[in-house]
Amino acid sequence: MNNDFPRILALLRSEKHISQKQAAEDLGIAQALLSHYEKGKRECGLDFLVRAADYYKVSTDYLLGRSPVSTGQFLLESEIPEAGLNSNKAESFTFSSSLAKKLIISGIDVIFSILGKTKSKKLTQSITTILSLNIYKSFRLVYKLNPKNDKNLFIINEEAAFRAAAAGELLAEGAALTAIAEDRSENTETAITTASLESEYNKQAAALLNLIRNSENMLKRYE
């Protein structure tokens, strides 16, 4: 069928804490066949696709990976808040830097909301460092557009700055992983599923899920 269907089918079952045996019984097929569907070894028919969508209460577009949102909706720029979780300002739809900005800002809003629930200063500081360094590098690239822009704005020269930023990101990632390893309390407030994201963050979650899909599509080129 496609590469997304097996992954999403297995993800939905896992997120809902349903055993493969139970799901197979409920869907009216053999467990071995469901296992083949979830592993991408067999393609299902349209009848099973519709049954699975009804069973997990999602759209067929979501099951097929056509939409990152369970309802199957395709996010329009006008539906994404301009900035912040409580903003309702909207603009007409054009795929532009404005849309990209909204996706990124919404994603950052969700990330920091979840970080607030962890109450982990070390993890929050590490994530903040990673995001800050990415913004710093991006700004330096934009600043470089005009050769007349005064380089004295920056203390560190460009080559050294990018090397140091890359090293800083790696160190921050290491610190974040250490912070996560130190806190294995399984805080229920930080349990994340696609359903919980959509329920709590609505359009911000849709924006984040779109950003994740777009990023992974780009990353596939370098696999």
Side-chain angles (χ1 to χ4, degrees):
M1 186 164 285
N2 62 31
N3 293 328
D4 290 313
F5 176 73
R7 174 183 62 82
I8 295 171
L9 187 65
L11 174 66
L12 284 168
R13 183 176 61 76
S14 175
E15 288 188 340
K16 294 182 182 298
H17 306 290
I18 302 172
S19 70
Q20 193 175 75
K21 179 180 179 181
Q22 183 62 57
E25 288 180 3
D26 293 341
L27 289 165
I29 62 172
Q31 182 178 349
L33 182 56
L34 179 58
S35 176
H36 285 163
Y37 287 162
E38 290 185 354
K39 292 178 180 177
K41 293 182 178 180
R42 291 275 299 274
E43 288 193 356
C44 75
L46 181 59
D47 179 64
F48 177 82
L49 175 66
V50 173
R51 270 188 289 143
D54 289 342
Y55 179 64
Y56 288 118
K57 295 181 173 58
V58 298
S59 72
T60 53
D61 276 334
Y62 176 73
L63 267 177
L64 293 171
R66 295 188 67 243
S67 168
V69 183
S70 66
T71 57
Q73 70 185 95
F74 292 89
L75 193 65
L76 300 178
E77 182 179 2
S78 60
E79 296 177 318
I80 310 173
E82 179 67 21
L85 287 169
N86 298 316
S87 174
N88 291 313
K89 184 179 177 182
E91 296 176 3
S92 60
F93 174 70
T94 53
F95 192 86
S96 61
S97 59
S98 174
L99 173 59
K101 183 186 77 170
K102 287 182 177 182
L103 294 179
I104 292 169
I105 290 174
S106 292
I108 291 174
D109 276 341
V110 174
I111 289 169
F112 274 100
S113 177
I114 295 170
L115 283 173
K117 297 174 184 177
T118 70
K119 297 180 174 59
S120 171
K121 292 182 179 179
K122 184 181 293 186
L123 180 57
T124 301
Q125 183 177 16
S126 300
I127 299 297
T128 300
T129 298
I130 293 168
L131 292 171
S132 298
L133 287 173
N134 273 279
I135 293 171
Y136 170 77
K137 290 190 297 181
S138 299
F139 179 75
R140 289 206 68 156
L141 289 171
V142 172
Y143 195 82
K144 189 181 177 69
L145 275 171
N146 191 327
K148 293 184 178 180
N149 287 336
D150 194 335
K151 296 179 181 179
N152 288 319
L153 175 68
F154 306 103
I155 298 172
I156 306 173
N157 72 65
E158 184 179 292
E159 184 178 349
F162 276 84
R163 284 203 309 267
E169 283 184 70
L170 288 174
L171 289 172
E173 288 173 17
L177 291 171
T178 298
I180 291 168
E182 290 174 350
D183 182 16
R184 291 291 186 181
S185 59
E186 296 187 5
N187 184 346
T188 56
E189 289 190 24
T190 59
I192 300 172
T193 64
T194 50
S196 68
L197 283 174
E198 291 175 9
S199 173
E200 184 168 359
Y201 300 108
N202 195 12
K203 298 302 181 183
Q204 284 75 21
L208 174 60
L209 293 170
N210 271 275
L211 186 149
I212 289 170
R213 185 178 66 173
N214 293 343
S215 297
E216 292 200 326
N217 285 338
M218 287 188 286
L219 292 172
K220 284 178 182 178
R221 303 172 191 171
Y222 308 110
E223 284 185 325

